[in-house]
Amino acid sequence: MSVPLRPPVPLLAALFLALALLLTGCTSGPAPAKAPVGAPGQGAAGPESDAAVRRASPEPEPSPAEIPGLGPQTRAEIPEEARQAFVVTGEGEDANRSSAVLYAREDPAEGWVAVAGPWDAHNGMKGWTDHHVAGDLRSPTGVYTLTDAGGRLPDPGALLPYDEHPRFAVDGVGFFGEPLEGSFDYVVAINYNRTEGVTPLDRTRPLGLERGGGIWIHVDHGGPTQGCVSIPEERMEELLRTLDPAMNPVIVMGDAESLGR
């Protein structure tokens, strides 16, 4: 008769070992290495990941506001300590009409803010120049400090030193026949070719008489000027009550193209 074949002993041992592994699982072996955070197939980046840190970075601070229409060269001429700027922008190099806006920067981090204007204004009969000379009938372009005021009428509440004097009286007619009376009822001296800290009536000319002088902001008489800037009387009163020596006011003046440099 035939005898049933039995598997060899080594084969039986291997079979028992495989059965034991199936019953106990793989916990007895070393744990698989953890995939790095953010690796492909591992889901969204966690809160400690580099990607999350980049997303949480604060937004950059906005730059302080600049005065519209002024180019880098003109902005660089405004003194760092100036916190008021009366900007007079001419319609063109040879035009005698312009627009005026008063800006202030109470908080340097926020920059310049328009606080008054725009107001209609006049400038020199023949427009603007980078090199003003006596009698050219052009207003000097540039940035100039404002430190002194005065006029024929009593002080309306000016913050700048104010000189009330009858010598501010004027008569005659302008270029288009308009009366000049009252033009100097209120004035603010523009510190072009003059000594700061004295009455606008002072005739000292540090650059020489040939470079002109007596350039003021004054009451508009309805026409172009010899070289000054003029604005309506009620605006002059407002300007005098607003320009503050503690804020180191300046005037920025010129035609639009020049100011944009």
Side-chain angles (χ1 to χ4, degrees):
M1 84 184 171
S2 62
V3 178
L5 296 176
R6 290 183 298 172
V9 174
L11 179 59
L12 286 173
L15 288 173
F16 280 122
L17 179 59
L19 180 60
L21 290 172
L22 287 173
L23 292 174
T24 59
C26 299
T27 57
S28 59
K34 296 176 71 175
V37 175
Q42 299 302 312
E48 300 302 323
S49 70
D50 290 343
V53 172
R54 285 195 298 270
R55 285 198 297 271
S57 298
E59 293 294 326
E61 292 293 328
S63 299
E66 298 287 359
I67 297 174
L70 302 189
Q73 178 179 320
T74 303
R75 291 198 302 268
E77 293 178 15
I78 300 176
E80 188 67 29
E81 65 272 16
R83 293 190 289 126
Q84 285 181 325
F86 189 54
V87 181
V88 181
T89 306
E91 294 179 354
E93 181 182 1
D94 300 322
N96 53 53
R97 289 183 176 274
S98 45
S99 178
V101 180
L102 180 62
Y103 291 87
R105 52 178 173 186
E106 297 284 354
D107 183 354
E110 295 183 1
W112 294 100
V113 177
V115 295
W119 301 332
D120 290 335
H122 280 99
N123 53 272
M125 173 66 179
K126 293 186 177 180
W128 302 90
T129 179
D130 290 332
H131 186 81
H132 176 71
V133 295
D136 67 4
L137 302 182
R138 292 181 178 271
S139 298
T141 62
V143 178
Y144 306 99
T145 54
L146 302 172
T147 57
D148 306 285
R152 184 182 65 87
L153 297 182
D155 185 350
L159 300 178
L160 297 175
Y162 186 90
D163 177 30
E164 179 188 352
H165 202 287
R167 285 176 54 201
F168 285 104
V170 62
D171 55 18
V173 296
F175 293 102
F176 300 143
E178 73 279 9
L180 299 179
E181 185 178 358
S183 298
F184 302 153
D185 283 354
Y186 301 117
V187 311
V188 174
I190 296 171
N191 289 339
Y192 166 82
N193 198 18
R194 72 177 300 269
T195 303
E196 297 184 12
V198 297
T199 174
L201 294 169
D202 184 84
R203 298 185 64 82
T204 303
R205 302 289 181 256
L207 300 178
L209 296 177
E210 69 279 2
R211 294 298 304 276
I215 306 296
W216 298 341
I217 308 169
H218 63 70
V219 176
D220 189 75
H221 48 75
T225 70
Q226 299 276 341
C228 297
V229 170
S230 63
I231 58 177
E233 183 170 3
E234 64 273 18
R235 302 308 186 193
M236 273 301 302
E237 293 177 357
E238 182 178 349
L239 189 66
L240 284 166
R241 289 192 288 262
T242 305
L243 292 178
D244 186 348
M247 298 183 73
N248 300 299
V250 297
I251 185 170
V252 183
M253 52 193 285
D255 59 282
E257 184 175 352
S258 296
L259 295 183
R261 294 184 295 214

